[in-house]
Short mmCIF file of all heavy atoms in Angstrom, two decimals:
data_model
loop_
_atom_site.label_atom_id
_atom_site.label_comp_id
_atom_site.label_asym_id
_atom_site.label_seq_id
_atom_site.Cartn_x
_atom_site.Cartn_y
_atom_site.Cartn_z
N MET A 1 91.60 96.35 83.24
CA MET A 1 91.27 96.44 84.65
C MET A 1 92.05 97.61 85.24
O MET A 1 93.21 97.84 84.91
CB MET A 1 91.64 95.11 85.31
CG MET A 1 91.47 95.11 86.79
SD MET A 1 91.60 93.50 87.62
CE MET A 1 92.73 92.55 86.67
N THR A 2 91.41 98.33 86.13
CA THR A 2 92.03 99.48 86.77
C THR A 2 92.09 99.25 88.28
O THR A 2 91.11 98.81 88.89
CB THR A 2 91.23 100.76 86.48
OG1 THR A 2 91.14 100.93 85.07
CG2 THR A 2 91.88 101.97 87.09
N ILE A 3 93.27 99.55 88.86
CA ILE A 3 93.44 99.46 90.30
C ILE A 3 93.91 100.81 90.82
O ILE A 3 94.30 101.68 90.04
CB ILE A 3 94.44 98.36 90.70
CG1 ILE A 3 95.85 98.65 90.12
CG2 ILE A 3 93.95 96.99 90.27
CD1 ILE A 3 96.93 97.73 90.64
N ASP A 4 93.87 100.96 92.11
CA ASP A 4 94.44 102.14 92.77
C ASP A 4 95.80 101.71 93.30
O ASP A 4 95.87 100.88 94.20
CB ASP A 4 93.51 102.59 93.90
CG ASP A 4 93.96 103.87 94.54
OD1 ASP A 4 94.36 104.79 93.80
OD2 ASP A 4 93.92 103.97 95.78
N LEU A 5 96.89 102.22 92.70
CA LEU A 5 98.24 101.82 93.07
C LEU A 5 98.95 103.00 93.72
O LEU A 5 99.19 104.01 93.06
CB LEU A 5 99.01 101.33 91.84
CG LEU A 5 100.46 100.91 92.06
CD1 LEU A 5 100.54 99.73 93.04
CD2 LEU A 5 101.11 100.53 90.74
N ASN A 6 99.24 102.86 95.00
CA ASN A 6 99.89 103.93 95.77
C ASN A 6 99.17 105.26 95.59
O ASN A 6 99.79 106.31 95.41
CB ASN A 6 101.37 104.04 95.40
CG ASN A 6 102.17 102.85 95.87
OD1 ASN A 6 101.69 102.04 96.66
ND2 ASN A 6 103.38 102.72 95.40
N GLY A 7 97.84 105.20 95.62
CA GLY A 7 97.03 106.42 95.60
C GLY A 7 96.71 106.96 94.22
O GLY A 7 96.03 107.98 94.11
N LYS A 8 97.15 106.27 93.16
CA LYS A 8 96.88 106.75 91.80
C LYS A 8 96.22 105.65 90.99
O LYS A 8 96.53 104.47 91.16
CB LYS A 8 98.18 107.17 91.11
CG LYS A 8 98.85 108.34 91.77
CD LYS A 8 100.10 108.73 91.03
CE LYS A 8 100.78 109.90 91.76
NZ LYS A 8 102.05 110.27 91.13
N SER A 9 95.33 106.04 90.10
CA SER A 9 94.68 105.09 89.22
C SER A 9 95.70 104.51 88.26
O SER A 9 96.52 105.22 87.69
CB SER A 9 93.56 105.79 88.45
OG SER A 9 92.90 104.88 87.62
N TYR A 10 95.68 103.18 88.09
CA TYR A 10 96.66 102.50 87.27
C TYR A 10 95.95 101.38 86.50
O TYR A 10 95.29 100.54 87.10
CB TYR A 10 97.76 101.92 88.18
CG TYR A 10 98.91 101.27 87.46
CD1 TYR A 10 99.95 102.03 86.93
CD2 TYR A 10 98.98 99.88 87.34
CE1 TYR A 10 101.02 101.42 86.29
CE2 TYR A 10 100.05 99.28 86.71
CZ TYR A 10 101.06 100.06 86.18
OH TYR A 10 102.11 99.46 85.54
N THR A 11 96.09 101.40 85.19
CA THR A 11 95.51 100.34 84.36
C THR A 11 96.55 99.25 84.19
O THR A 11 97.67 99.52 83.77
CB THR A 11 95.09 100.91 82.99
OG1 THR A 11 94.15 101.96 83.19
CG2 THR A 11 94.47 99.83 82.13
N ILE A 12 96.16 98.03 84.53
CA ILE A 12 97.10 96.92 84.41
C ILE A 12 96.80 96.09 83.17
O ILE A 12 95.65 95.99 82.73
CB ILE A 12 97.13 96.05 85.68
CG1 ILE A 12 95.76 95.48 86.02
CG2 ILE A 12 97.66 96.81 86.85
CD1 ILE A 12 95.77 94.51 87.17
N VAL A 13 97.85 95.50 82.62
CA VAL A 13 97.71 94.67 81.44
C VAL A 13 97.04 93.35 81.82
O VAL A 13 97.13 92.91 82.97
CB VAL A 13 99.08 94.43 80.78
CG1 VAL A 13 99.67 95.73 80.24
CG2 VAL A 13 100.06 93.77 81.72
N PRO A 14 96.37 92.70 80.86
CA PRO A 14 95.63 91.46 81.17
C PRO A 14 96.50 90.34 81.75
O PRO A 14 95.99 89.49 82.47
CB PRO A 14 95.05 91.04 79.82
CG PRO A 14 95.00 92.29 79.02
CD PRO A 14 96.15 93.14 79.49
N GLU A 15 97.80 90.34 81.45
CA GLU A 15 98.67 89.28 81.94
C GLU A 15 98.90 89.37 83.45
O GLU A 15 99.31 88.39 84.08
CB GLU A 15 100.04 89.33 81.24
CG GLU A 15 99.98 89.06 79.76
CD GLU A 15 99.57 90.28 78.93
OE1 GLU A 15 99.73 91.41 79.40
OE2 GLU A 15 99.07 90.07 77.82
N VAL A 16 98.68 90.53 84.03
CA VAL A 16 98.87 90.72 85.47
C VAL A 16 97.60 90.27 86.19
O VAL A 16 96.58 90.95 86.15
CB VAL A 16 99.21 92.20 85.79
CG1 VAL A 16 99.28 92.41 87.29
CG2 VAL A 16 100.52 92.60 85.13
N LYS A 17 97.70 89.11 86.82
CA LYS A 17 96.52 88.54 87.48
C LYS A 17 96.66 88.42 88.99
O LYS A 17 95.68 88.26 89.68
CB LYS A 17 96.23 87.16 86.88
CG LYS A 17 95.92 87.22 85.39
CD LYS A 17 95.49 85.88 84.88
CE LYS A 17 95.28 85.85 83.39
NZ LYS A 17 94.31 86.77 82.87
N THR A 18 97.92 88.48 89.48
CA THR A 18 98.15 88.34 90.92
C THR A 18 99.07 89.46 91.40
O THR A 18 99.65 90.19 90.60
CB THR A 18 98.82 86.99 91.25
OG1 THR A 18 100.14 86.99 90.70
CG2 THR A 18 98.02 85.81 90.72
N VAL A 19 99.19 89.57 92.70
CA VAL A 19 100.10 90.56 93.28
C VAL A 19 101.52 90.27 92.83
O VAL A 19 102.26 91.19 92.46
CB VAL A 19 99.99 90.55 94.83
CG1 VAL A 19 101.05 91.42 95.45
CG2 VAL A 19 98.59 91.01 95.25
N GLN A 20 101.93 89.00 92.80
CA GLN A 20 103.28 88.65 92.35
C GLN A 20 103.50 89.08 90.91
O GLN A 20 104.55 89.63 90.57
CB GLN A 20 103.55 87.15 92.50
CG GLN A 20 104.96 86.74 92.15
CD GLN A 20 106.00 87.37 93.07
OE1 GLN A 20 105.84 87.41 94.28
NE2 GLN A 20 107.08 87.88 92.50
N HIS A 21 102.53 88.84 90.04
CA HIS A 21 102.64 89.30 88.65
C HIS A 21 102.81 90.81 88.59
O HIS A 21 103.59 91.31 87.78
CB HIS A 21 101.39 88.91 87.84
CG HIS A 21 101.24 87.46 87.60
ND1 HIS A 21 100.01 86.89 87.31
CD2 HIS A 21 102.13 86.44 87.59
CE1 HIS A 21 100.16 85.60 87.13
NE2 HIS A 21 101.45 85.29 87.31
N LEU A 22 102.08 91.54 89.42
CA LEU A 22 102.18 93.00 89.44
C LEU A 22 103.58 93.43 89.85
O LEU A 22 104.17 94.32 89.22
CB LEU A 22 101.14 93.60 90.39
CG LEU A 22 101.17 95.12 90.55
CD1 LEU A 22 100.86 95.81 89.22
CD2 LEU A 22 100.21 95.57 91.63
N LEU A 23 104.13 92.81 90.87
CA LEU A 23 105.48 93.15 91.32
C LEU A 23 106.51 92.89 90.23
O LEU A 23 107.41 93.70 90.00
CB LEU A 23 105.83 92.37 92.59
CG LEU A 23 104.99 92.69 93.82
CD1 LEU A 23 105.36 91.77 94.97
CD2 LEU A 23 105.11 94.14 94.21
N GLU A 24 106.37 91.77 89.53
CA GLU A 24 107.28 91.46 88.44
C GLU A 24 107.11 92.45 87.29
O GLU A 24 108.10 92.89 86.70
CB GLU A 24 107.06 90.02 87.97
CG GLU A 24 107.51 89.00 88.99
CD GLU A 24 107.05 87.59 88.70
OE1 GLU A 24 106.49 87.34 87.61
OE2 GLU A 24 107.26 86.73 89.57
N HIS A 25 105.87 92.81 86.98
CA HIS A 25 105.59 93.78 85.92
C HIS A 25 106.23 95.14 86.24
O HIS A 25 106.73 95.81 85.35
CB HIS A 25 104.08 93.93 85.74
CG HIS A 25 103.67 94.93 84.72
ND1 HIS A 25 103.79 94.69 83.37
CD2 HIS A 25 103.16 96.17 84.86
CE1 HIS A 25 103.37 95.77 82.71
NE2 HIS A 25 102.98 96.67 83.59
N LEU A 26 106.23 95.51 87.50
CA LEU A 26 106.81 96.78 87.94
C LEU A 26 108.31 96.65 88.22
O LEU A 26 108.94 97.59 88.69
CB LEU A 26 106.10 97.29 89.20
CG LEU A 26 104.61 97.61 89.03
CD1 LEU A 26 103.98 97.90 90.39
CD2 LEU A 26 104.41 98.77 88.08
N GLN A 27 108.87 95.48 87.96
CA GLN A 27 110.29 95.18 88.18
C GLN A 27 110.68 95.36 89.65
O GLN A 27 111.74 95.88 89.98
CB GLN A 27 111.17 96.01 87.26
CG GLN A 27 110.89 95.73 85.80
CD GLN A 27 111.72 96.55 84.85
OE1 GLN A 27 112.32 97.55 85.21
NE2 GLN A 27 111.77 96.11 83.60
N LEU A 28 109.80 94.91 90.54
CA LEU A 28 110.04 94.98 91.98
C LEU A 28 110.11 93.59 92.60
O LEU A 28 110.15 93.47 93.82
CB LEU A 28 108.93 95.78 92.67
CG LEU A 28 108.80 97.25 92.28
CD1 LEU A 28 107.55 97.86 92.90
CD2 LEU A 28 110.03 98.02 92.70
N GLY A 29 110.12 92.55 91.78
CA GLY A 29 110.06 91.19 92.28
C GLY A 29 111.22 90.76 93.15
O GLY A 29 111.07 89.88 93.98
N ASP A 30 112.38 91.42 93.02
CA ASP A 30 113.55 90.99 93.79
C ASP A 30 113.87 91.93 94.96
O ASP A 30 114.92 91.83 95.57
CB ASP A 30 114.76 90.89 92.87
CG ASP A 30 115.10 92.21 92.20
OD1 ASP A 30 114.28 93.14 92.24
OD2 ASP A 30 116.21 92.31 91.63
N ARG A 31 112.95 92.81 95.29
CA ARG A 31 113.19 93.77 96.38
C ARG A 31 112.46 93.34 97.66
O ARG A 31 111.50 92.59 97.61
CB ARG A 31 112.71 95.15 95.98
CG ARG A 31 113.50 95.70 94.83
CD ARG A 31 113.28 97.15 94.70
NE ARG A 31 113.98 97.65 93.53
CZ ARG A 31 113.99 98.90 93.18
NH1 ARG A 31 113.33 99.79 93.88
NH2 ARG A 31 114.64 99.29 92.11
N ILE A 32 112.93 93.87 98.77
CA ILE A 32 112.23 93.66 100.04
C ILE A 32 111.11 94.69 100.10
O ILE A 32 111.36 95.90 100.01
CB ILE A 32 113.20 93.82 101.22
CG1 ILE A 32 114.29 92.75 101.14
CG2 ILE A 32 112.43 93.72 102.55
CD1 ILE A 32 115.38 92.91 102.16
N LEU A 33 109.89 94.21 100.23
CA LEU A 33 108.71 95.07 100.13
C LEU A 33 107.71 94.81 101.25
O LEU A 33 107.71 93.75 101.86
CB LEU A 33 107.97 94.78 98.81
CG LEU A 33 108.74 94.86 97.52
CD1 LEU A 33 107.93 94.22 96.41
CD2 LEU A 33 109.04 96.31 97.18
N ILE A 34 106.85 95.78 101.41
CA ILE A 34 105.62 95.59 102.16
C ILE A 34 104.50 95.87 101.16
O ILE A 34 104.51 96.90 100.49
CB ILE A 34 105.51 96.54 103.36
CG1 ILE A 34 106.61 96.23 104.37
CG2 ILE A 34 104.12 96.43 104.01
CD1 ILE A 34 106.67 97.21 105.52
N VAL A 35 103.58 94.92 101.04
CA VAL A 35 102.47 95.08 100.11
C VAL A 35 101.17 95.06 100.91
O VAL A 35 100.95 94.17 101.74
CB VAL A 35 102.45 93.97 99.04
CG1 VAL A 35 101.25 94.13 98.12
CG2 VAL A 35 103.74 93.96 98.24
N GLU A 36 100.34 96.03 100.65
CA GLU A 36 99.03 96.12 101.29
C GLU A 36 97.98 96.04 100.19
O GLU A 36 98.07 96.74 99.18
CB GLU A 36 98.92 97.45 102.02
CG GLU A 36 97.65 97.64 102.79
CD GLU A 36 97.63 99.00 103.46
OE1 GLU A 36 98.19 99.14 104.56
OE2 GLU A 36 97.05 99.93 102.87
N LYS A 37 97.02 95.17 100.36
CA LYS A 37 95.91 95.02 99.41
C LYS A 37 94.61 95.28 100.14
O LYS A 37 94.30 94.60 101.12
CB LYS A 37 95.92 93.62 98.80
CG LYS A 37 94.81 93.41 97.79
CD LYS A 37 94.86 92.00 97.24
CE LYS A 37 93.68 91.80 96.34
NZ LYS A 37 93.24 90.42 96.33
N ASN A 38 93.90 96.29 99.68
CA ASN A 38 92.62 96.66 100.28
C ASN A 38 92.76 96.84 101.80
O ASN A 38 91.97 96.32 102.59
CB ASN A 38 91.53 95.66 99.93
CG ASN A 38 91.28 95.62 98.45
OD1 ASN A 38 91.36 96.64 97.76
ND2 ASN A 38 90.99 94.45 97.92
N LYS A 39 93.81 97.56 102.18
CA LYS A 39 94.09 97.96 103.56
C LYS A 39 94.49 96.82 104.49
O LYS A 39 94.43 96.92 105.70
CB LYS A 39 92.92 98.74 104.14
CG LYS A 39 92.60 99.96 103.30
CD LYS A 39 91.58 100.84 103.92
CE LYS A 39 91.28 101.94 102.93
NZ LYS A 39 91.18 103.22 103.46
N GLU A 40 94.93 95.68 103.89
CA GLU A 40 95.44 94.57 104.69
C GLU A 40 96.84 94.22 104.20
O GLU A 40 97.05 94.02 103.01
CB GLU A 40 94.54 93.34 104.55
CG GLU A 40 93.19 93.51 105.22
CD GLU A 40 92.38 92.23 105.21
OE1 GLU A 40 92.97 91.14 105.17
OE2 GLU A 40 91.15 92.32 105.25
N ILE A 41 97.79 94.13 105.12
CA ILE A 41 99.16 93.77 104.76
C ILE A 41 99.20 92.30 104.36
O ILE A 41 98.66 91.45 105.07
CB ILE A 41 100.13 94.04 105.93
CG1 ILE A 41 100.19 95.55 106.20
CG2 ILE A 41 101.52 93.49 105.62
CD1 ILE A 41 101.00 95.93 107.41
N LEU A 42 99.83 92.04 103.21
CA LEU A 42 99.95 90.67 102.73
C LEU A 42 101.29 90.07 103.15
O LEU A 42 102.33 90.72 103.02
CB LEU A 42 99.89 90.63 101.19
CG LEU A 42 98.58 91.00 100.52
CD1 LEU A 42 98.73 90.89 99.01
CD2 LEU A 42 97.45 90.11 101.00
N GLN A 43 101.24 88.85 103.61
CA GLN A 43 102.47 88.10 103.84
C GLN A 43 102.99 87.65 102.48
O GLN A 43 102.21 87.48 101.53
CB GLN A 43 102.18 86.87 104.72
CG GLN A 43 101.65 87.20 106.08
CD GLN A 43 102.65 87.98 106.92
OE1 GLN A 43 103.85 87.73 106.87
NE2 GLN A 43 102.17 88.95 107.67
N LYS A 44 104.29 87.45 102.36
CA LYS A 44 104.89 87.10 101.07
C LYS A 44 104.27 85.84 100.47
O LYS A 44 104.10 85.73 99.26
CB LYS A 44 106.39 86.94 101.21
CG LYS A 44 107.07 86.82 99.89
CD LYS A 44 108.56 86.97 100.00
CE LYS A 44 109.15 86.96 98.61
NZ LYS A 44 110.48 87.47 98.54
N ASP A 45 103.90 84.88 101.31
CA ASP A 45 103.30 83.65 100.78
C ASP A 45 101.88 83.85 100.27
O ASP A 45 101.26 82.92 99.74
CB ASP A 45 103.38 82.52 101.80
CG ASP A 45 102.66 82.81 103.10
OD1 ASP A 45 102.30 83.97 103.35
OD2 ASP A 45 102.47 81.87 103.89
N CYS A 46 101.35 85.07 100.39
CA CYS A 46 100.01 85.40 99.87
C CYS A 46 100.08 86.27 98.62
O CYS A 46 99.05 86.77 98.17
CB CYS A 46 99.19 86.11 100.94
SG CYS A 46 98.81 85.06 102.36
N TYR A 47 101.28 86.44 98.06
CA TYR A 47 101.41 87.27 96.85
C TYR A 47 100.75 86.64 95.63
O TYR A 47 100.63 87.28 94.60
CB TYR A 47 102.88 87.56 96.55
CG TYR A 47 103.53 88.59 97.45
CD1 TYR A 47 102.84 89.18 98.50
CD2 TYR A 47 104.84 88.96 97.25
CE1 TYR A 47 103.45 90.11 99.33
CE2 TYR A 47 105.46 89.90 98.07
CZ TYR A 47 104.76 90.47 99.10
OH TYR A 47 105.36 91.39 99.90
N ASP A 48 100.31 85.39 95.74
CA ASP A 48 99.58 84.78 94.64
C ASP A 48 98.10 85.16 94.68
O ASP A 48 97.30 84.67 93.88
CB ASP A 48 99.75 83.26 94.65
CG ASP A 48 99.22 82.60 95.92
OD1 ASP A 48 98.97 83.31 96.91
OD2 ASP A 48 99.08 81.36 95.92
N ALA A 49 97.74 86.07 95.58
CA ALA A 49 96.36 86.55 95.69
C ALA A 49 95.96 87.25 94.39
O ALA A 49 96.73 88.05 93.84
CB ALA A 49 96.22 87.51 96.86
N PRO A 50 94.77 86.94 93.87
CA PRO A 50 94.35 87.58 92.62
C PRO A 50 94.08 89.07 92.82
O PRO A 50 93.68 89.51 93.88
CB PRO A 50 93.07 86.84 92.26
CG PRO A 50 92.56 86.27 93.53
CD PRO A 50 93.78 86.03 94.40
N ILE A 51 94.32 89.81 91.76
CA ILE A 51 94.00 91.24 91.74
C ILE A 51 92.68 91.40 91.02
O ILE A 51 92.48 90.85 89.93
CB ILE A 51 95.10 92.05 91.02
CG1 ILE A 51 96.41 91.97 91.80
CG2 ILE A 51 94.66 93.50 90.84
CD1 ILE A 51 97.56 92.68 91.13
N MET A 52 91.78 92.15 91.62
CA MET A 52 90.46 92.39 91.04
C MET A 52 90.34 93.87 90.66
O MET A 52 91.06 94.72 91.20
CB MET A 52 89.37 92.02 92.05
CG MET A 52 89.49 90.62 92.62
SD MET A 52 89.44 89.30 91.41
CE MET A 52 87.73 89.34 90.99
N ASP A 53 89.42 94.16 89.76
CA ASP A 53 89.16 95.54 89.37
C ASP A 53 88.83 96.38 90.60
O ASP A 53 88.10 95.93 91.48
CB ASP A 53 87.99 95.56 88.37
CG ASP A 53 87.85 96.89 87.66
OD1 ASP A 53 88.89 97.48 87.29
OD2 ASP A 53 86.70 97.34 87.47
N LYS A 54 89.41 97.55 90.67
CA LYS A 54 89.19 98.54 91.75
C LYS A 54 89.91 98.21 93.06
O LYS A 54 89.69 98.87 94.06
CB LYS A 54 87.69 98.76 92.03
CG LYS A 54 86.85 99.09 90.83
CD LYS A 54 87.15 100.46 90.32
CE LYS A 54 86.15 100.78 89.20
NZ LYS A 54 86.69 101.49 88.12
N ASP A 55 90.77 97.17 93.07
CA ASP A 55 91.55 96.89 94.28
C ASP A 55 92.45 98.08 94.60
O ASP A 55 92.89 98.80 93.70
CB ASP A 55 92.43 95.65 94.09
CG ASP A 55 91.71 94.35 94.41
OD1 ASP A 55 90.61 94.39 94.99
OD2 ASP A 55 92.26 93.29 94.07
N GLN A 56 92.73 98.24 95.88
CA GLN A 56 93.66 99.27 96.34
C GLN A 56 94.95 98.56 96.76
O GLN A 56 94.93 97.75 97.68
CB GLN A 56 93.10 100.04 97.52
CG GLN A 56 91.88 100.86 97.17
CD GLN A 56 91.32 101.58 98.38
OE1 GLN A 56 91.67 101.27 99.52
NE2 GLN A 56 90.45 102.53 98.14
N ILE A 57 96.04 98.87 96.06
CA ILE A 57 97.34 98.26 96.34
C ILE A 57 98.32 99.35 96.75
O ILE A 57 98.43 100.37 96.09
CB ILE A 57 97.90 97.54 95.09
CG1 ILE A 57 96.89 96.56 94.49
CG2 ILE A 57 99.22 96.88 95.41
CD1 ILE A 57 96.66 95.30 95.27
N GLU A 58 99.00 99.12 97.87
CA GLU A 58 100.06 100.02 98.31
C GLU A 58 101.34 99.19 98.36
O GLU A 58 101.34 98.09 98.92
CB GLU A 58 99.78 100.59 99.70
CG GLU A 58 98.55 101.47 99.78
CD GLU A 58 98.74 102.83 99.13
OE1 GLU A 58 99.87 103.34 99.13
OE2 GLU A 58 97.76 103.38 98.62
N ILE A 59 102.41 99.70 97.77
CA ILE A 59 103.69 99.01 97.77
C ILE A 59 104.72 99.94 98.38
O ILE A 59 104.89 101.08 97.94
CB ILE A 59 104.14 98.63 96.35
CG1 ILE A 59 103.09 97.70 95.70
CG2 ILE A 59 105.50 97.95 96.39
CD1 ILE A 59 103.34 97.43 94.24
N ILE A 60 105.39 99.45 99.41
CA ILE A 60 106.43 100.22 100.08
C ILE A 60 107.71 99.42 99.97
O ILE A 60 107.75 98.23 100.29
CB ILE A 60 106.08 100.44 101.57
CG1 ILE A 60 104.77 101.20 101.68
CG2 ILE A 60 107.22 101.17 102.28
CD1 ILE A 60 104.18 101.21 103.06
N HIS A 61 108.76 100.06 99.45
CA HIS A 61 110.05 99.37 99.40
C HIS A 61 111.09 100.25 100.08
O HIS A 61 110.95 101.45 100.19
CB HIS A 61 110.47 99.01 97.97
CG HIS A 61 110.65 100.16 97.04
ND1 HIS A 61 111.85 100.76 96.82
CD2 HIS A 61 109.75 100.80 96.26
CE1 HIS A 61 111.69 101.72 95.94
NE2 HIS A 61 110.43 101.78 95.60
N PHE A 62 112.12 99.59 100.55
CA PHE A 62 113.13 100.26 101.36
C PHE A 62 114.26 100.77 100.48
O PHE A 62 114.67 100.11 99.54
CB PHE A 62 113.66 99.29 102.42
CG PHE A 62 112.57 98.82 103.35
CD1 PHE A 62 111.90 97.63 103.11
CD2 PHE A 62 112.20 99.58 104.44
CE1 PHE A 62 110.89 97.20 103.94
CE2 PHE A 62 111.19 99.17 105.28
CZ PHE A 62 110.53 97.98 105.03
N VAL A 63 114.78 101.92 100.83
CA VAL A 63 115.89 102.53 100.12
C VAL A 63 117.00 102.77 101.12
O VAL A 63 116.78 103.37 102.18
CB VAL A 63 115.46 103.87 99.47
CG1 VAL A 63 116.61 104.53 98.77
CG2 VAL A 63 114.29 103.66 98.51
N GLY A 64 118.19 102.28 100.80
CA GLY A 64 119.32 102.46 101.69
C GLY A 64 119.98 103.81 101.46
O GLY A 64 119.78 104.47 100.45
N GLY A 65 120.72 104.23 102.40
CA GLY A 65 121.44 105.51 102.28
C GLY A 65 121.99 105.93 103.63
O GLY A 65 121.78 105.28 104.63
N GLY A 66 122.63 107.05 103.61
CA GLY A 66 123.19 107.44 104.89
C GLY A 66 123.33 108.92 105.04
O GLY A 66 122.95 109.77 104.38
#
């Protein structure tokens, strides 16, 4: 299955079935994030939403610094 991840085509492994699985696969599961799926911001309790072929996913995470 192929999705659009942050503007780039990305092939995901079959084990990645939900947004939460994708975040864990990308090792982002423990970060504070904003996730957008098909141009809609997902609340954290909706990360179990299934990922379908051709979905558009945007992930924004915060970086500290000064």
